[in-house]
Amino acid sequence: MTLPRIRQLVFASRDAADIERLREVLDLGPGFVDPDVRMFGLTNGVFALGNQFLEVVVPVEEKTAAGRFLDRNQGLGGYMAIFQTDNLHRVRAHADANGLRRVWDIDAEDISASHLHPADIGAAIVSIDEARPAASWRWGGPDWQSSARPGAIVQLDIVAVDSESLATRWAGVLGVTAQDTGHGIWDLSLAADRIRVVPGDRDYLSTYTLTHPDPEACLARAKAAGLRVQGSSFQFAGVQVSLLPD
């Protein structure tokens, strides 16, 4: 497995029914409810797409980070992006040296991770995780391989007031180069996926691009579920989900 890469993207919602709604629209396998997210005042569902993951988190307590995010952003944008690295020591050293606060750290036998403060890194919580072994993924649950469905996360789009500054911060954490493609748009090429940062009037995760065996069926289910469908994408929990054939 070549790193760094996008390993998991997260939606936030006030509606617990959105967990099952995402599963139905994308025809995903059974989700994993992580009991550890209760420490953050949340419930969730994590779904395996190939060997990557989509997650929906829902606040179940008052005064949670996810609840504040939903209030502040008024439902616009993705909640969190989780990347996999093979050198978390470098990431932590870089973050500490550049004033990017670590708001949560874990060092377990099978995984180490650090969450970076969204006010510092920009747009959302960014988690950098080092899994042991690299093909494993604690957050997907103990049996995620058996419930995985074909597909992949291939691109994350971010809108930023200062696209160059945000792209540079994210690139520094991930250990890649931010490439200026013109008109204020910056590309970060990862091992098997990419990040695109475009200028806008606020900072947020705008689009998750996925490959799927049957995008048309997904779009039909999204429309039947009352989600807004436009072209090859649908809106879900404040994020545009764009679908490409697998």
Side-chain angles (χ1 to χ4, degrees), residues 10-32:
V10 185
F11 305 89
S13 175
R14 293 279 185 192
D15 186 358
D18 273 341
I19 297 172
E20 177 62 15
R21 189 170 292 117
L22 182 69
R23 191 200 68 76
E24 291 179 349
V25 166
L26 292 176
D27 191 28
L28 300 169
F32 171 63

Side-chain angles (χ1 to χ4, degrees), residues 77-88:
Y79 179 59
M80 185 177 185
I82 306 176
F83 298 89
Q84 186 175 356
T85 182
D86 57 3
N87 191 350
L88 185 58

Side-chain angles (χ1 to χ4, degrees), residues 132-230:
R132 294 177 289 273
S136 68
W137 198 244
R138 169 188 281 228
W139 318 128
D143 301 311
W144 64 263
Q145 292 94 336
S146 64
S147 61
R149 295 294 185 266
I153 300 168
V154 295
Q155 183 168 310
L156 168 64
D157 282 28
I158 306 170
V159 173
V161 174
D162 186 340
S163 56
E164 179 179 2
S165 177
L166 187 143
T168 300
R169 287 195 303 275
W170 281 56
V173 165
L174 292 168
V176 300
T177 300
Q179 298 179 330
D180 182 359
T181 64
H183 306 288
I185 300 173
W186 294 79
D187 274 2
L188 283 65
S189 294
L190 307 182
D193 35 61
R194 66 196 286 255
I195 302 168
R196 185 177 68 164
V197 185
V198 303
D201 61 357
R202 60 195 298 184
D203 295 354
Y204 65 99
L205 308 185
S206 62
T207 305
Y208 299 169
T209 301
L210 320 174
T211 63
H212 193 282
D214 195 346
E216 292 302 321
C218 293
L219 295 170
R221 288 189 293 267
K223 187 173 182 179
L227 302 176
R228 185 164 66 88
V229 174
Q230 184 174 9

Side-chain angles (χ1 to χ4, degrees), residues 39 41 85 101 112 174 237:
M39 75 173 74
T85 182
R101 288 168 289 175
S112 294
L174 292 168

Side-chain angles (χ1 to χ4, degrees), residues 30-105:
F32 171 63
V33 180
D34 184 353
D36 290 341
V37 302
R38 289 306 296 260
M39 75 173 74
F40 302 113
L42 306 173
T43 189
N44 74 333
V46 183
F47 303 96
L49 187 69
N51 59 15
Q52 295 164 289
F53 301 84
L54 297 171
E55 179 182 9
V56 182
V57 298
V58 178
V60 293
E61 298 177 7
E62 298 296 324
K63 299 181 179 179
T64 65
R68 290 190 295 271
F69 164 83
L70 289 165
D71 290 341
R72 182 173 62 250
N73 285 31
Q74 298 181 332
L76 179 65
Y79 179 59
M80 185 177 185
I82 306 176
F83 298 89
Q84 186 175 356
T85 182
D86 57 3
N87 191 350
L88 185 58
H89 176 76
R90 183 207 68 81
V91 173
R92 286 174 170 173
H94 176 88
D96 294 346
N98 288 275
L100 304 175
R101 288 168 289 175
R102 290 189 266 147
V103 296
W104 184 74
D105 294 308

